[in-house]
Amino acid sequence: MDLIEPAVRTFLGIFFLMIGLQFSARTLGLYARMGFSHIHYGARGKATWWHRHIFNVFRAAILLVCLARIFVDLDGWLGVFAWLYHGPVLLAGAVLLLASFTAVNYLQAYMHEDWRSGIAPTEDKARLLTQGPYSRSRNPLFLAVMTGQLGFFLVHRALPGNAAFIFRKK
């Protein structure tokens, strides 16, 4: 366990950094090739615009906290579930994160130039995919992201640092 916890802590910071770099590279590459942004914020001041900006703030906060946790023990401020603090739970969370990352990349590559983030304007000419993974589920990308969120919960909330006393049964 002494090896698993710091390894998973470092993995989590690097993992979220790599997601940010991969997402940025994908959107910049598509913009360079196609000549338009595949990220849609919606009309300024509307609910979708606010949602996207709030999402970006939370995404940046998650990245910063995960990177900071590599060097600084912040767990006392974040809260943990000590009953989840076991090597197999940490490793299962890391495996779910990697499986999610793989699935998201596959599904976005499958969509290729039809991939969008946000609600595309009605004049956008993206096709509705109904074959491959999209023949079995309307939202396989969301299922992959939810798998990653479960993995993130298992990895992040199970890391106790010096705060293992939180939620511990007496």
Side-chain angles (χ1 to χ4, degrees):
M1 189 63 164
D2 292 334
L3 178 65
I4 293 173
E5 193 271 336
V8 169
R9 181 183 294 262
T10 303
F11 161 79
L12 197 57
I14 293 170
F15 177 81
F16 277 101
L17 179 62
M18 297 307 293
I19 285 177
L21 293 173
Q22 188 272 339
F23 185 79
S24 298
R26 172 182 293 279
T27 56
L28 290 172
L30 282 170
Y31 183 81
R33 180 172 172 254
M34 309 287 292
F36 65 93
S37 177
H38 285 66
I39 300 174
H40 303 285
Y41 279 73
R44 184 176 192 84
K46 297 290 184 181
T48 55
W49 183 85
W50 281 108
H51 176 267
R52 187 65 193 205
H53 284 285
I54 292 169
F55 173 75
N56 288 342
V57 168
F58 276 100
R59 184 170 44 189
I62 289 169
L63 172 61
L64 291 175
V65 167
C66 288
L67 287 173
R69 287 179 72 243
I70 295 173
F71 307 104
V72 180
D73 184 12
L74 300 175
D75 293 338
W77 294 91
L78 300 173
V80 295
F81 299 104
W83 52 273
L84 286 175
Y85 182 53
H86 301 287
V89 174
L90 296 174
L91 292 176
V95 167
L96 286 175
L97 281 168
L98 290 172
S100 169
F101 183 70
T102 302
V104 165
N105 277 303
Y106 171 79
L107 293 163
Q108 286 181 349
Y110 188 89
M111 294 174 82
H112 194 45
E113 71 249 12
D114 294 319
W115 172 80
R116 302 289 185 275
S117 180
I119 300 172
T122 54
E123 63 272 3
D124 195 339
K125 302 294 187 240
R127 296 176 295 136
L128 178 65
L129 296 176
T130 58
Q131 67 274 8
Y134 294 88
S135 67
R136 295 182 288 279
S137 170
R138 207 46 263 133
N139 296 304
L141 202 50
F142 291 119
L143 295 172
V145 169
M146 286 190 295
T147 301
Q149 290 172 341
L150 174 60
F152 180 62
F153 171 78
L154 294 176
V155 168
H156 184 64
R157 295 329 238 161
L159 293 174
N162 293 328
F165 63 90
I166 299 174
F167 300 111
R168 181 180 286 162
K169 291 184 179 181
K170 300 201 182 228

